Amino acid sequence: MTKSQPRQQGLLRQLLFPTIAAGTGLVILLNLGMWQVHRLAWKEALIAHVAADVTKPAVAAPGPDQWDNAAGLDDADYRHVEVTGHYIGGSAYYYTSLADAKGRLDGPGYLLYSPFETREGWRVMINRGFVPQGLAAADIERLETVPEGDVTLTGLLRKSEKPNWTTPAVDKSKRIWFARDTDDMADVIGIGPGDLAPYSIDLDAQFTGEDGLPQAGETIVQFKNDHLGYALTWFGLAATLAGVYLAYAVSLWRKPQD
C-alpha cells in the first residue's frame, strides 16, 4: 500500500456523507427546476389558448349537463360565449380598481352583477360592467334597473372563485364582494343555487349602457407567470450547492496531512 492510499481512503470517508447529501439535494433542486420549466410551457400554451378564445365567435355557454366536468370548465375559462333569455331581479357588486380600461372610466369602483335566466331555464350571473365609486343613490338605482324582455348576450365566461383568508368579508348590507363568488352573490340576492351556473359572463363592450354605464367589456385577461424566475432560482441553487460541495472537497484534498 502506497503512502497516499490511507490519505485517499480518509478523504473518501470524510466525503461520503457530504456527497450523499449534496447529491440528494442536487437531484431535488434540478427536478424542481425542470418542473417549473414544464409549468412555464403549460402556462404559455394556456395564455395562447385564451388569447385565441377571446377573439373567436361566441359559442353556446355550457349548460347544466357540463357543469360537473371540472376540467372542461377550467378549459372554458375566458371562452367567448352566448346566452339568450331575460334578466331577473337583484344586483351585486364586486369591488375592483380598474387600470388600463378599454372604456373612458377607470380607477376604484365595482363590477355590477345581475342574475339572468336562460331560455333553457338555468341561471347565470352576468357581469354587466364597471361603475365608478361615488355615484348618487338615484344613479345606482337606475343602473340596477335591468333591460326587459328576451335578449341575446355575448361575453367572456369566468369561473366563480372562492375567497381565501386574506379576502375582506362580504358587506351583505351593501351587496359588495371582494372575490368573484357568484354562488354567494346569488344566494344573498335570493337566487337558488340548484340551477345556477358555476361561472359568470363578462359582457362584451357593445353592451355598455347608453350613457356609458355600466361600462362593459372590461375583463382583465392576465395570468401570473413567474415560472421562468422560479426555474432560474432552483437551477441557481443547484449550481450553488454543486460549487459549495466542490469547494469543500478541494479544501479537504489540499489540507496538509497530520
Side-chain angles (χ1 to χ4, degrees):
M1 179 181 295
T2 65
K3 293 182 179 180
S4 64
Q5 286 179 324
R7 181 168 184 263
Q8 291 173 352
Q9 291 172 355
L11 286 172
L12 290 175
R13 284 194 297 270
Q14 285 181 281
L15 285 172
L16 178 61
F17 178 74
T19 299
I20 293 173
T24 302
L26 194 62
V27 169
I28 292 172
L29 291 171
L30 289 174
N31 273 284
L32 287 170
M34 290 305 301
W35 180 70
Q36 289 294 341
V37 169
H38 293 314
R39 292 285 293 174
L40 174 63
W42 167 81
K43 183 62 70 66
E44 288 178 341
L46 175 63
I47 292 171
H49 171 74
V50 167
D53 264 0
V54 298
T55 59
K56 289 179 179 177
V59 297
D65 60 331
Q66 302 174 61
W67 294 349
D68 291 334
N69 183 357
L73 284 180
D74 285 340
D75 188 58
D77 206 16
Y78 291 105
R79 180 176 296 169
H80 197 205
V81 297
E82 176 182 280
V83 288
T84 299
H86 61 274
Y87 283 103
I88 49 184
S91 295
Y93 296 88
Y94 170 42
Y95 180 82
T96 188
S97 185
L98 193 62
D100 299 322
K102 299 176 182 66
R104 62 184 179 86
L105 299 173
D106 58 11
Y110 309 93
L111 298 176
L112 174 59
Y113 284 78
S114 296
F116 185 87
E117 184 170 311
T118 67
R119 283 181 176 173
E120 294 76 22
W122 52 273
R123 297 173 176 182
V124 61
M125 294 296 291
I126 301 294
N127 169 12
R128 296 171 54 207
F130 175 78
V131 295
Q133 275 186 332
L135 291 178
D139 292 326
I140 294 174
E141 183 177 355
R142 175 179 56 80
L143 291 173
E144 289 184 350
T145 302
V146 294
E148 296 182 356
D150 278 7
V151 291
T152 296
L153 305 176
T154 60
L156 299 183
L157 182 151
R158 295 305 327 277
K159 285 185 60 182
S160 182
E161 63 183 13
K162 295 299 180 183
N164 57 37
W165 65 274
T166 66
T167 307
V170 176
D171 185 341
K172 294 188 177 181
S173 64
K174 296 181 179 178
R175 292 166 287 132
I176 297 174
W177 278 257
F178 298 88
R180 199 176 54 256
D181 187 352
T182 50
D183 291 337
D184 192 48
M185 290 179 185
D187 183 60
V188 169
I189 62 179
I191 306 299
D195 57 355
L196 181 72
Y199 58 81
S200 56
I201 297 175
D202 291 4
L203 289 185
D204 289 337
Q206 70 194 65
F207 295 99
T208 295
E210 292 183 2
D211 60 352
L213 291 175
Q215 182 173 288
E218 295 296 348
T219 302
I220 301 171
V221 182
Q222 66 180 20
F223 296 90
K224 187 177 181 181
N225 190 6
D226 296 329
H227 298 297
L228 179 59
Y230 291 146
L232 293 175
T233 298
W234 292 123
F235 289 140
L237 289 173
T240 301
L241 176 60
V244 169
Y245 170 78
L246 289 174
Y248 175 70
V250 169
S251 69
L252 287 180
W253 180 261
R254 291 179 175 176
K255 185 178 179 181
Q257 296 186 47
D258 294 334

